[in-house]
Amino acid sequence: MTTIWRSTLTLLGATTLTFGMAHAQGPELSATPAIEGEVLADHGRHTLRMGIGLSETSPQFLSSQYFGEILAQRTDGRITVNVFPNSQLGDDVQMMEMLQTGTLDMTYPSSSATTGYVQALSVFDLPFLLPSREAAIAVMQSDAAQNMLDAFEGTGLKALTFSENGYRQLSNSARPVATPDDVAGLNVRGLSVRTMQNPVHLAIWEALGANPTPMAFGELFSALEQGVVDGQENPWSTILTSNFNEVQDYGTETRHVYTPFIMMLSERTWNRMAPEYQELVLEAARQSAEYEIQLSAEYDDWSREQLEARGMQITRLDDEQLAAFQEAVQPVYTQWAPRIGEDLIAEIQQIVADHTSQ
């Protein structure tokens, strides 16, 4: 089988370092892996501007720095990467458009923001499709996933590799949520929940009785602070590093969607590179993706604990409560399976089943 990465995660035994954050000492994170390989011949100089949505404390940023370090060391400084965090250069959609025009070299969007280019990527937005991180990694390393990356050819975007955005969890400022009825509100109004500009995510929250509100990530903190929306859904690490706990009192461990990130390069930038440099960029992307997934795994549980320590009331769903959410969102499959491709969904489900049975 052709895999996206030449090896699965091998960093579990790596030495660790302590990562400092404002207000708290961070988790012990795996040290940046050693950079191996010879320095390439001189094929010119490239300065790559890379925009990402998350903060300097995120696994996405740390692994992007590692990506740049690999390229700099393997080219004796002839390729440099400047990373701009915190949506400084725009949201995911805007930065992908900048890649198409060549005004930005790289970005790192959630797969959910890319479905307008490759419809098949909507499979990652289906609720409760991937039951564990290990199953998700198996899917991201599959031929089906590689086909999705290859499908960007001709769009102006060169999709390099998948890494982990992670399991999305619900937070809100209105009330604790333990059932779909808590989302819908029943005798009170349903929650207004910020979502990405993604129709499957909208369908999920509509099925749960919420009022989903598409919004750029860079606008979200202010919208939560001002009460424009009650809540949002993101991985615990994103909720923490974005300081959403300052404006959100309640969290629920729904794990309703697992979405990857996709590291991307402008096709214009890619085409300006010598083949040897292209090969190195792809290799560095895959190595940094492994590192990002490792950091994300280490960060996830710690982030939830930190959110609780800082005052967020987090509800952990038991099997019965989780089943109620799963049942409530079944109409999303009825609506979207024909559009995404029932064969693709079945292929992903088979990969999950094979991995779970091992």
Side-chain angles (χ1 to χ4, degrees), residues 15 21 28 52 136:
T15 56
M21 287 183 59
E28 289 190 342
I52 67 173

Side-chain angles (χ1 to χ4, degrees), residues 197-211:
Q197 295 171 322
N198 178 285
V200 183
H201 286 218
L202 290 169
I204 291 170
W205 292 103
E206 287 170 353
L208 290 170
N211 175 26

Side-chain angles (χ1 to χ4, degrees), residues 127-128 170 179-185 190-191 201-211 254 256 324-329 332:
F128 304 106
L170 174 67
T179 69
D181 287 344
D182 295 329
V183 176
L191 294 178
H201 286 218
L202 290 169
I204 291 170
W205 292 103
E206 287 170 353
L208 290 170
N211 175 26
T254 49
H256 53 280
F325 278 90
Q326 292 171 333
E327 181 178 358
V329 297
V332 178

Side-chain angles (χ1 to χ4, degrees), residues 206-269:
E206 287 170 353
L208 290 170
N211 175 26
T213 305
M215 184 182 299
F217 184 79
E219 302 171 5
L220 179 53
F221 186 93
S222 294
L224 294 170
E225 186 176 38
Q226 296 168 14
V228 175
V229 290
D230 298 313
Q232 61 83 53
E233 40 92 59
N234 264 299
W236 292 131
S237 60
T238 302
I239 294 172
L240 178 66
T241 58
S242 302
N243 296 315
F244 290 156
N245 55 290
E246 296 178 4
V247 289
Q248 299 276 267
D249 295 327
Y250 308 103
T252 305
E253 194 160 52
T254 49
R255 294 169 61 89
H256 53 280
V257 167
Y258 179 101
T259 49
F261 285 126
I262 303 176
M263 182 181 281
M264 292 183 170
L265 191 73
S266 169
E267 279 191 347
R268 297 188 184 201
T269 302

Side-chain angles (χ1 to χ4, degrees), residues 112-181:
S112 300
T114 70
T115 58
Y117 298 96
V118 177
Q119 175 82 56
L121 283 160
S122 295
V123 74
F124 287 109
D125 296 309
L126 290 173
F128 304 106
L129 179 67
L130 302 175
S132 69
R133 173 177 281 110
E134 292 75 20
I137 291 171
V139 170
M140 289 191 292
Q141 293 179 330
S142 69
D143 289 341
Q146 183 63 56
N147 290 339
M148 295 180 209
L149 297 180
D150 293 342
F152 280 94
E153 184 175 354
T155 65
L157 307 170
K158 174 67 177 179
L160 301 173
T161 190
F162 287 107
S163 69
E164 178 169 297
N165 189 352
Y167 282 103
R168 306 184 76 83
Q169 322 284 6
L170 174 67
S171 72
N172 82 96
S173 59
R175 54 184 174 269
V177 170
T179 69
D181 287 344

Side-chain angles (χ1 to χ4, degrees), residues 267-281:
E267 279 191 347
R268 297 188 184 201
T269 302
W270 175 262
N271 291 334
R272 287 197 297 267
M273 289 183 166
E276 194 174 16
Y277 275 5
Q278 291 177 342
E279 183 178 346
L280 174 62
V281 166

